[in-house]
Amino acid sequence: MEWKQEIKKQDGSIEIPKRWLHIHYYEALNILFRFENSLRVFVYIILKNEYKNEWMNCQFDLYGSSKTIKGISNQRISQANNFGYLGFDVTSPLMHLTSGELIELITSKAYWEVFKLYFRGNMSIIKNKLLEIGTVRNSLAHFRPIKQDDIELIKQNTNHTLMGVEECLENVFSQSYRVPTNTDEDWYKEICSLGNELINIFLFYSQDENWVKCELEFSVQILNRTDYGNNIYGFSVTNLNTPNVLNQYKELSSFVTYINESTTFPTLDSDFNMVIKKKINLVFRKDVLIDNIVVITSEVKNLLIKILEETDLLKGDNLARGKIVEPINTSSYWEDGIEGKSGKWEHNYSNFINTYESNHPNEYWGQMRYSNDIIAGSQIYPWMPANVSEYEISW
C-alpha cells in the first residue's frame, strides 16, 4: 500500500494527491466537527446555568430507556480508557455524547423549555433540520459516500437552526463592555468593594448584558532573580493555578459558567525585573450572579485572602507551594537586531497558562481566543487539549 501525503508549498498552500477523497468530504468534516462541538458547548452553558452542579444528572429518553449525561459518558470514557494510548484523554461528559443524543436531549419534553429561547422555529421543525444534519454526519462517520448537495444542506440547516445559538455563544465567549461605574445595582456594589494590593477587579458586560465577566488581575510577584550575564535574566515568580480555584471553591464553581485565563505581555522595569499580570476571568450569567451574589461575593473574598496568604508564604520560602499560588520559572533575554533592525527583549512566559488536562473541572476553559465567527471559525473549543485549526482573524 502506498499512502501518499499532502505537499505543503512555500506560499502556504497544500497540494493533495489525486487519489485522496474529493474536497467536499473535507468540507463536510469541517462543518460537522464545528457544528457538533458548538452544540456541545451550548448545551453545557444552558444546563449548567439552569441546574448548577446537577447538570450531568439530566435525564432523557434514549434507545427506549432513560439515560443521564453522566451515565452515558462514564460508560464511554471507560471504553476509551481501554485504548488510552490513542488520541487525547478527554473526560468532559458532553464530549462523549453524539450529535444524535444532543438533539434528543435538546428536543426532549423535559428540557425543550430551557432551550427553545435560542431556536427560531418550533420544536418539530428544529428537530427535523438537526436530524437531517445528523443523517449526513452518519454517512460520513460510517464511510458511506456523500454528495455535494449534502454539503449545501448541512450549511443551510446549520445556519437556520443555530442562528440564535451563535448569538448566545458570541455573548458567552466575549464580554468587552465595561460595566458603568455609576451602576446602582447591589451585585455591582458588592463585587466592586473587593480587591486588595495584589488583585484588581474589573467588571465587563457582553453585548446583550446577559453575561458578566469578573476579571481578577493579579500582579505577579518576583520571588528570585538570577543574572546570567549578556542581558539574560531568570526569574522565579508567583502564578495562580486557575483550575485549583474551582477545586478549592466549590460554591463559586457551582455558579460560574466558566473560567479562562490570560496574561499581559511582559516588560522589564528599570531594575530589569519582569513586570507581568495574570488575569483570571470568571464568567456568570447575570441572573445567576444576582440571585447568588452573597455566596459568590463570600467565595471571592476568601479567594483573595488566600492569594495574599500564599503569596506571603512563597515570599518567605520560595520552595513552598500553595493551593492557589505557586512558583514558576520565567526568563528574559535581549535579542540583537539584524539587517539594520533594532533589538528587543524576548520573554519566556508560556507556563503562566495551564494547558488543559482531563482532570480539570468542566468550568475551566483554559486560554480562549475569541473569534466573532464562533461556530465556523473557533481555533479551539472548551475541554480540548489542542487547537483544531490555525487562527484566522475575521471581523
Side-chain angles (χ1 to χ4, degrees):
M1 297 180 190
E2 183 182 3
W3 300 105
K4 292 189 175 182
Q5 291 186 303
E6 78 283 5
I7 299 172
K8 296 180 180 179
K9 298 186 176 181
Q10 289 185 343
D11 63 359
S13 63
I14 296 175
E15 179 182 327
I16 61 174
K18 291 183 178 180
R19 64 172 65 177
W20 277 23
L21 298 176
H22 293 304
I23 195 67
H24 68 272
Y25 284 86
Y26 307 112
E27 186 177 9
L29 176 63
N30 176 68
I31 297 169
L32 292 167
F33 184 98
R34 294 182 178 283
F35 162 79
E36 192 163 313
N37 282 298
S38 298
L39 206 60
R40 288 188 175 114
V41 176
F42 167 70
V43 168
Y44 162 80
I45 289 166
I46 302 306
L47 295 183
K48 175 67 197 295
N49 282 282
E50 293 296 329
Y51 302 104
K52 311 303 183 291
N53 286 343
E54 292 299 310
W55 69 269
M56 286 185 285
N57 294 320
C58 288
Q59 290 182 304
F60 60 104
D61 291 333
L62 190 67
Y63 315 129
S65 62
S66 182
K67 305 284 186 180
T68 66
I69 296 172
K70 186 176 182 179
I72 295 170
S73 64
N74 282 349
Q75 180 180 5
R76 290 176 184 163
I77 290 169
S78 177
Q79 292 170 345
N81 287 341
N82 291 329
F83 303 95
Y85 51 86
L86 297 173
F88 291 103
D89 186 14
V90 178
T91 57
S92 178
L94 284 171
M95 293 296 288
H96 294 273
L97 264 63
T98 67
S99 60
E101 290 162 350
L102 292 169
I103 293 166
E104 289 300 321
L105 176 61
I106 290 169
T107 58
S108 67
K109 290 182 180 179
Y111 304 113
W112 176 246
E113 284 298 312
V114 300
F115 288 114
K116 70 178 184 180
L117 174 66
Y118 304 94
F119 293 97
R120 298 175 184 176
N122 66 37
M123 189 263 285
S124 60
I125 291 176
I126 295 298
K127 183 173 184 177
N128 185 64
K129 283 183 172 289
L130 291 174
L131 288 176
E132 284 184 339
I133 296 172
T135 299
V136 179
R137 181 259 191 205
N138 289 340
S139 292
L140 188 66
H142 297 287
F143 310 118
R144 296 190 291 268
I146 59 174
K147 300 178 293 184
Q148 182 68 51
D149 288 350
D150 296 333
I151 309 302
E152 298 310 311
L153 179 140
I154 60 176
K155 282 182 181 178
Q156 179 176 308
N157 282 15
T158 298
N159 288 338
H160 287 172
T161 56
L162 299 191
M163 281 191 295
V165 170
E166 183 159 49
E167 286 182 13
C168 172
L169 292 178
E170 286 177 358
N171 285 292
V172 173
F173 273 61
S174 177
Q175 304 78 37
S176 57
Y177 300 91
R178 283 291 296 271
V179 179
T181 54
N182 62 339
T183 299
D184 197 34
E185 298 178 50
D186 289 341
W187 69 268
Y188 178 79
K189 294 177 181 178
E190 288 286 336
I191 297 178
C192 279
S193 67
L194 305 178
N196 57 40
E197 59 264 39
L198 293 179
I199 299 282
N200 288 317
I201 295 183
F202 305 97
L203 293 168
F204 296 86
Y205 272 143
S206 59
Q207 187 172 14
D208 66 1
E209 297 191 5
N210 287 330
W211 301 87
V212 176
K213 176 174 70 180
C214 179
E215 179 184 283
L216 308 183
E217 185 185 70
F218 173 65
S219 295
V220 171
Q221 303 294 294
I222 304 293
L223 301 175
N224 188 39
R225 190 185 83 181
T226 303
D227 185 350
Y228 294 104
N230 297 320
N231 286 327
I232 302 174
Y233 300 98
F235 305 96
S236 174
V237 301
T238 55
N239 186 37
L240 300 183
N241 187 318
T242 307
N244 271 1
V245 171
L246 295 162
N247 291 327
Q248 296 296 316
Y249 297 91
K250 296 295 188 181
E251 289 188 283
L252 181 63
S253 175
S254 175
F255 300 121
V256 73
T257 300
Y258 71 90
I259 291 181
N260 67 8
E261 56 183 341
S262 63
T263 66
T264 59
F265 187 78
T267 59
L268 295 182
D269 65 17
S270 57
D271 294 322
F272 299 98
N273 285 320
M274 181 182 283
V275 178
I276 186 170
K277 296 181 185 295
K278 171 79 171 275
K279 296 181 180 181
I280 295 181
N281 302 308
L282 294 81
V283 177
F284 300 91
R285 201 171 73 183
K286 186 181 176 183
D287 63 320
V288 173
L289 176 63
I290 291 172
D291 291 344
N292 301 281
I293 190 60
V294 174
V295 176
I296 291 170
T297 302
S298 176
E299 288 280 83
V300 173
K301 281 181 180 177
N302 291 334
L303 170 60
L304 299 187
I305 292 170
K306 190 71 169 176
I307 290 171
L308 272 179
E309 291 175 345
E310 293 190 346
T311 299
D312 287 341
L313 170 67
L314 267 65
K315 284 182 174 180
D317 178 5
N318 59 26
L319 294 180
R321 180 189 180 96
K323 293 181 178 179
I324 304 297
V325 184
E326 59 186 12
I328 62 170
N329 294 318
T330 63
S331 62
S332 299
Y333 62 94
W334 178 260
E335 185 177 84
D336 290 327
I338 57 174
E339 298 180 356
K341 295 182 180 179
S342 59
K344 60 180 179 178
W345 285 100
E346 296 285 353
H347 309 281
N348 296 317
Y349 66 107
S350 60
N351 55 345
F352 273 101
I353 303 298
N354 291 274
T355 302
Y356 176 80
E357 298 176 5
S358 60
N359 62 341
H360 285 159
N362 292 294
E363 294 80 8
Y364 177 66
W365 286 12
Q367 185 180 26
M368 301 300 296
R369 179 170 280 174
Y370 174 68
S371 165
N372 71 332
D373 198 2
I374 299 294
I375 293 176
S378 287
Q379 181 196 25
I380 190 168
Y381 292 88
W383 318 307
M384 290 189 184
N387 62 38
V388 298
S389 68
E390 298 294 329
Y391 180 60
E392 179 182 77
I393 298 175
S394 56
W395 300 107

